[in-house]
Amino acid sequence: MRLSAVQSAYTRPTNVANQSLSSRATAHSNAIGRAAYFQGTPSRRAKTAIFLIASDKRRCFSSAQCNQAWLSPGVCAVLKAWLSPGVCAVLKACSQAEPRHAAWLSPGVCAVLKAWLSPGVCAVLTGTAMALRSAAARLLTCNGRGVALTAARTQSTAAPQKDSDGKLRQAVKKPKVQFDWKDALELEGQLTEEEKMIRDTFRTYCQDKLMPRILMANRNEVFHREIVNEMGELGVLGPTIKGYDCAGTSYVAYGLIAREVERVDSSYRSVMSVQSSLVMHPIYTYGTEEQKQKYLPKLARGELLGCFGLTEPNHGSDPGSMETRARFNPSSRTFTLNGTKTWITSSPMADVCVVWAKCEDGEVRGFLLERGMPGLSTPQIQGKFSLRASSTGMIVMEDVEVPEENLLPHVTGLAGPFGCLNSARYGISWGALGAAEFCFHAARQYTLDRVQFGVPLARNQLMQKKMADMLTEITIGLQSCLQLGRLIDQKKAAPEMISMLKRNSCGKALDIARQARDMLGGNGIADEYHVIRHVMNLEAVNTYEGTHDIHALILGRAITGLQSFTVGK
Amino acid sequence: MAGRVLVGVKRVIDYAVKIRVKPDKTGVVTDGVKHSMNPFCEIAVEEAVRLREKKLMKEVIAVSCGPQQCQETIRTALAMGADRGIHVEVSGKDYENLGPLQVSKIMAALAKKEEASLVIVGKQAIDGDCNQTGQMTAALLDWPQGTFASEVSVDGDGLKVEREIDGGLESVRIKMPAVVTADLRLNEPRYATLPNIMKAKKKKIASVKPADLGVELTSRLEILAVEDPPQRQSGVKVESVQDLVTKLRDSGTL
């Protein structure tokens, strides 16, 4: 029990690399010795103390930390000869400098020791106090119980010891690892060189080219369509697709890209996600070769803007009950689509729409609609207070004739849209943390700069607590996203994993943004400080692609095996 | 008349990082600090790539001298469009003492070895601010030089270089092979596109040692100390010109 616990604790030597086999054995015997020390009678304790002091010396020959340098075997022998068990225990306590061992050093005991300790012994002890530096010297002046309790860690001022080869060993100090609040768990070391280069290049583009536009774009609700072309030139649209003029990078790189864009604004990342995961991905995964050749290169370059139509005014979280219908006309080999989709990112300016409609057999299928088809209109949604820098609208279909070639043939049912949504949700998990990071950094800088009551705001405990919480959530979130990205790249990811992280990232990011807004005080509501824009945007980000609660139900079903989406079943 | 372009790129501390002096005053803290390609070197790479795209040059070779991490800088150059890279391995004490003279010797040796028709480097590095490497390289090769270039165009078998000098702009015509150093307004470097970053992985980076090129790296310079500039003292306001003159006289300046 206690003994074995102590043993096991001590049998892990600290400087394994520096210790030879013999010293490791010594350390082990030390462990047993120390364990025995807790249990034995006083005289046995004393003998153990001497043994330990003596054995400590052997260990220090090969260990890098020479705390007991002065304890040569000769000195030990002398000490052993005329020191009583009590004094040995004192020395032991000094060399170990552990307060709880010396709890028994009451002022009375000190007085007794002082009385019979000869000058010679005092000299030895004071001499060694130079090496031990703390407890021994103070003990001799007998300041009482507090002395040993406050004993500092023993530091050796002795000359560097020569080991058995006679070579001089320097006291090796391990270089102290610096904590970096910008990258608390060293995500940097977990990325490949390519991923780092992609992230750095794209970060420079976002900060140089997107950041200057966003203030006015958000204020005046303007969508800069040319951004899609710029991103296309950089090759970040549909980055995970192989071929068709796409880059073919890893999902981790996709996540890093999303994080950098959303650091500027969630609207831009929404547009990028829609284009990559909700338009290019379904064409690539479920489309015919002709469709891929026709649409993918142009979508990759940003020449064509796409949108994704699943949500309806009366069916958001419940896409399975959608009312949009596709009726097949065998005579013309076309489908006639009727229905309305709403909350469609980019629809007012989109050239191609991926619309999901229910066919006569009750199955949901995907169709590619192009601007210009009669009956297709895309009115803009006005009065939006979130994602203002991107254009959101509806897709209204009144007897739109869609040729048979525009059906996405390789998927039937809700698996189609959900496959796309999972890809987008993964990007959002990274992206939301990018927005959170921006808010955290902004709050930190603001509270460092702003002085109230004579001190920077950051000096206050409430501010620091909030920042500590932000740092923790962002760091942990990024680690989880990295792991998810790696799993997706290895094709070992399940949809529930993505649900879990989308929900976590969005929920935490929204909290962080709100906290940051609060920390910025009155300036926090001004769009010049940008945080309020993230607060507004993250409300939508938390809701779209599966609300916070819906993802909870997805996880609940995975945990319990019981679905709680519908009642009465 | 398409030849090879040799571009020198240097790995320096990122321009946005706040520099700290080491406590032992031997230099600046570089451990754990973000490094990136020297901005003027980026401009040099961009110019070289543009020349190749205009089919005026056939190959762009990016060169960097330093420890293992320099390969990242060469990779960035490859991602911007360079065809292959050469990493000259210099580490430890040699790297600390590496200055323009040693680098220019290496560049000269490589220019001869690779039979380059043009060497483009940045006008200066943002850490050393020496503004010597390009000029020394030209001298060692006995090639003409067009420094502080704000515009470069091929003119027959030579180059027309527009130089930014104190008085304004100077046009020079130099014969090839030549050395050009890039100034700020030469071009705006492109962002490396994702497909190019992925392709850069497959491009070759050859490793050579200075000894293989017959270059000796001993420095003739010894850094005595590196210190922070003195803290700026607050000034003193005076009421009138008379006071100003009195104060200046008292302090011994007048």
Side-chain angles (χ1 to χ4, degrees):
Chain A
M1 32 106 252
R2 259 300 267 295
L3 175 62
S4 53
V6 169
Q7 252 179 313
S8 54
Y10 277 103
T11 45
R12 254 176 294 132
T14 43
N15 273 332
V16 183
N18 287 335
Q19 285 181 332
S20 64
L21 203 60
S22 62
S23 59
R24 253 179 266 161
T26 316
H28 180 78
S29 54
N30 276 350
I32 300 172
R34 285 193 178 104
Y37 180 76
F38 296 139
Q39 290 190 326
T41 60
S43 61
R44 225 170 94 210
R45 271 189 219 149
K47 287 182 192 154
T48 321
I50 296 169
F51 160 71
L52 284 168
I53 292 170
S55 61
D56 272 343
K57 170 54 182 168
R58 284 201 296 281
R59 187 174 76 143
C60 90
F61 265 136
S62 41
S63 107
Q65 286 159 327
C66 304
N67 281 344
Q68 284 82 31
W70 52 271
L71 282 170
S72 72
V75 173
C76 281
V78 167
L79 290 173
K80 201 169 168 179
W82 46 262
L83 284 180
S84 73
V87 179
C88 287
V90 167
L91 286 172
K92 168 89 175 62
C94 296
S95 64
Q96 288 209 323
E98 282 168 58
R100 61 192 166 91
H101 289 166
W104 49 268
L105 278 172
S106 64
V109 174
C110 280
V112 167
L113 285 173
K114 203 171 174 182
W116 54 259
L117 278 178
S118 72
V121 176
C122 287
V124 169
L125 289 172
T126 40
T128 63
M130 303 265 278
L132 288 178
R133 199 216 279 188
S134 54
R138 273 185 258 154
L139 198 62
L140 287 168
T141 58
C142 267
N143 286 324
R145 178 189 292 246
V147 171
L149 289 171
T150 57
R153 194 128 58 104
T154 55
Q155 299 264 344
S156 176
T157 51
Q161 284 305 292
K162 292 196 164 83
D163 66 14
S164 43
D165 304 1
K167 286 202 204 119
L168 214 65
R169 284 271 194 99
Q170 297 290 70
V172 173
K173 262 208 237 165
K174 271 200 288 242
K176 188 168 173 231
V177 178
Q178 276 293 108
F179 180 75
D180 181 8
W181 63 269
K182 286 199 279 281
D183 185 7
L185 280 177
E186 230 234 307
L187 184 72
E188 199 68 10
Q190 295 169 293
L191 301 175
T192 67
E193 207 191 286
E194 182 183 282
E195 285 161 357
K196 278 189 265 195
M197 217 191 298
I198 293 173
R199 179 206 55 197
D200 288 341
T201 313
F202 200 58
R203 179 181 291 188
T204 316
Y205 163 74
C206 290
Q207 296 302 317
D208 289 349
K209 295 278 189 267
L210 294 182
M211 200 65 195
R213 286 166 155 136
I214 189 57
L215 183 62
M216 286 303 154
N218 183 71
R219 198 184 279 187
N220 301 329
E221 218 177 332
V222 172
F223 170 47
H224 290 123
R225 167 74 176 79
E226 54 273 25
I227 287 171
V228 191
N229 294 73
E230 284 169 27
M231 288 201 215
E233 260 173 49
L234 283 172
V236 298
L237 296 175
T240 53
I241 293 175
K242 295 195 177 15
Y244 308 98
D245 296 352
C246 298
T249 66
S250 64
Y251 268 87
V252 173
Y254 176 39
L256 290 166
I257 291 167
R259 176 178 169 221
E260 291 312 322
V261 184
E262 195 147 358
R263 203 188 290 276
V264 175
D265 195 77
S266 303
S267 325
Y268 295 154
R269 199 269 312 132
S270 296
V271 172
M272 190 209 70
S273 285
V274 163
Q275 185 88 345
S276 307
S277 292
L278 299 180
V279 177
M280 291 172 77
H281 175 89
I283 296 175
Y284 178 67
T285 321
Y286 310 125
T288 65
E289 190 54 40
E290 291 78 32
Q291 288 166 342
K292 290 187 224 183
Q293 296 286 3
K294 182 177 175 190
Y295 292 109
L296 286 181
K298 293 206 176 120
L299 286 167
R301 280 194 292 277
E303 280 170 35
L304 289 178
L305 181 63
C307 68
F308 177 85
L310 178 68
T311 303
E312 295 185 359
N314 293 330
H315 304 282
S317 296
D318 179 21
S321 331
M322 65 170 73
E323 293 166 28
T324 307
R325 294 283 176 269
R327 204 179 60 243
F328 185 55
N329 310 307
S331 51
S332 51
R333 304 206 70 82
T334 59
F335 287 87
T336 307
L337 264 66
N338 272 291
T340 324
K341 299 290 185 185
T342 187
W343 298 118
I344 309 301
T345 304
S346 304
S347 83
M349 295 200 202
D351 307 296
V352 63
C353 311
V354 178
V355 174
W356 301 89
K358 219 173 235 181
C359 295
E360 285 136 319
D361 59 354
E363 292 285 2
V364 167
R365 286 191 180 79
F367 298 88
L368 295 172
L369 274 62
E370 287 175 61
R371 184 164 298 282
M373 283 177 174
L376 177 65
S377 61
T378 54
Q380 176 129 357
I381 291 174
Q382 305 287 350
K384 232 173 63 205
F385 274 68
S386 187
L387 305 178
R388 287 167 66 90
S390 79
S391 177
T392 313
M394 303 172 76
I395 302 177
V396 179
M397 294 159 284
E398 289 163 319
D399 290 328
V400 180
E401 298 285 323
V402 178
E404 198 179 34
E405 310 82 74
N406 284 32
L407 166 74
L408 293 172
H410 298 301
V411 78
T412 323
L414 283 175
F418 283 160
C420 310
L421 288 173
N422 274 331
S423 170
R425 284 167 186 169
Y426 164 72
I428 294 169
S429 326
W430 280 93
L433 293 175
E437 267 180 306
F438 176 89
C439 295
F440 167 45
H441 293 195
R444 174 187 172 275
Q445 196 54 53
Y446 185 84
T447 52
L448 282 170
D449 294 336
R450 184 164 174 92
V451 174
Q452 291 287 279
F453 304 109
V455 291
L457 284 182
R459 172 74 175 74
N460 294 300
Q461 293 184 340
L462 288 171
M463 292 293 167
Q464 295 205 352
K465 182 221 180 287
K466 289 173 187 166
M467 285 192 266
D469 290 339
M470 291 181 187
L471 173 72
T472 310
E473 289 304 343
I474 290 169
T475 309
I476 292 174
L478 285 171
Q479 283 295 309
S480 62
C481 289
L482 179 69
Q483 167 65 354
L484 179 58
R486 298 266 180 247
L487 285 174
I488 296 180
D489 285 329
Q490 293 162 29
K491 303 215 187 325
K492 286 188 189 164
E496 289 84 354
M497 298 179 194
I498 303 176
S499 280
M500 178 174 73
L501 291 193
K502 189 264 176 191
R503 175 173 182 266
N504 183 63
S505 291
C506 294
K508 301 286 167 65
L510 183 55
D511 276 339
I512 288 171
R514 287 169 175 167
Q515 289 269 34
R517 207 291 314 147
D518 191 40
M519 289 161 80
L520 261 66
N523 284 323
I525 64 149
D527 63 1
E528 284 195 37
Y529 287 83
H530 303 294
V531 172
I532 188 75
R533 178 170 50 81
H534 284 287
V535 174
M536 284 170 19
N537 290 338
L538 287 169
E539 293 286 353
V541 176
N542 197 36
T543 306
Y544 72 12
E545 309 267 355
T547 67
H548 199 259
D549 293 340
I550 284 292
H551 285 299
L553 299 190
I554 293 174
L555 290 169
R557 178 178 55 190
I559 297 167
T560 60
L562 303 167
Q563 68 82 17
S564 56
F565 293 91
T566 62
V567 290
K569 276 192 203 161
Chain B
M1 171 34 308
R4 280 198 195 90
V5 188
L6 202 67
V7 184
V9 296
K10 187 176 180 187
R11 178 176 180 266
V12 297
I13 296 180
D14 191 80
Y15 74 90
V17 168
K18 196 165 190 299
I19 309 286
R20 282 181 302 130
V21 177
K22 279 201 275 207
D24 59 3
K25 296 205 177 160
T26 53
V28 149
V29 176
T30 53
D31 281 334
V33 173
K34 179 158 189 260
H35 282 70
S36 50
M37 196 194 289
N38 181 37
F40 294 107
C41 297
E42 279 177 14
I43 298 174
V45 173
E46 174 64 22
E47 195 59 27
V49 173
R50 283 192 192 180
L51 284 171
R52 195 209 49 218
E53 283 171 352
K54 286 190 220 154
K55 305 261 194 296
L56 298 165
M57 290 287 150
K58 70 166 190 262
E59 198 186 20
V60 177
I61 308 166
V63 180
S64 191
C65 308
Q68 188 59 26
Q69 294 95 320
C70 284
Q71 299 224 354
E72 287 166 26
T73 316
I74 302 177
R75 270 296 158 221
T76 312
L78 294 174
M80 284 173 74
D83 298 296
R84 58 187 169 92
I86 299 177
H87 170 217
V88 181
E89 287 168 22
V90 180
S91 48
K93 229 40 238 95
D94 282 336
Y95 183 59
E96 280 168 39
N97 293 331
L98 197 68
L101 181 60
Q102 291 77 22
V103 174
S104 54
K105 284 183 188 167
I106 293 172
M107 291 296 285
L110 278 172
K112 282 204 211 108
K113 183 163 168 245
E114 299 289 335
E115 291 167 346
S117 0
L118 183 60
V119 174
I120 310 185
V121 292
K123 74 169 178 184
Q124 64 197 62
I126 59 173
D127 53 5
D129 282 319
C130 291
N131 183 10
Q132 295 167 3
T133 307
Q135 289 87 337
M136 283 180 177
T137 311
L140 288 167
L141 288 166
D142 199 25
W143 286 6
Q145 52 182 276
T147 53
F148 307 103
S150 66
E151 211 183 308
V152 174
S153 49
V154 174
D155 183 10
D157 63 342
L159 290 171
K160 194 148 160 280
V161 178
E162 197 90 341
R163 300 182 61 228
E164 281 197 12
I165 58 171
D166 288 345
L169 293 173
E170 183 188 57
S171 284
V172 291
R173 194 184 171 282
I174 52 178
K175 291 205 188 99
M176 297 244 267
V179 174
V180 170
T181 71
D183 206 329
L184 194 60
R185 280 158 281 272
L186 181 56
N187 58 49
E188 201 182 313
R190 64 191 61 189
Y191 296 104
T193 68
L194 233 72
N196 280 346
I197 294 175
M198 316 259 321
K199 275 186 222 151
K201 249 193 324 202
K202 300 194 190 77
K203 292 182 185 171
K204 290 214 177 342
I205 298 180
S207 273
V208 290
K209 291 208 171 40
D212 300 340
L213 300 167
V215 172
E216 214 234 304
L217 289 179
T218 44
S219 175
R220 278 91 164 144
L221 299 172
E222 187 196 326
I223 295 177
L224 295 176
V226 175
E227 285 165 4
D228 275 305
Q231 287 277 20
R232 205 189 141 157
Q233 300 294 330
S234 58
V236 176
K237 259 185 154 165
V238 290
E239 293 298 309
S240 70
V241 178
Q242 194 55 44
D243 282 343
L244 175 63
V245 172
T246 321
K247 276 225 159 52
L248 285 172
R249 234 186 241 137
D250 289 341
S251 71
T253 325
L254 262 187

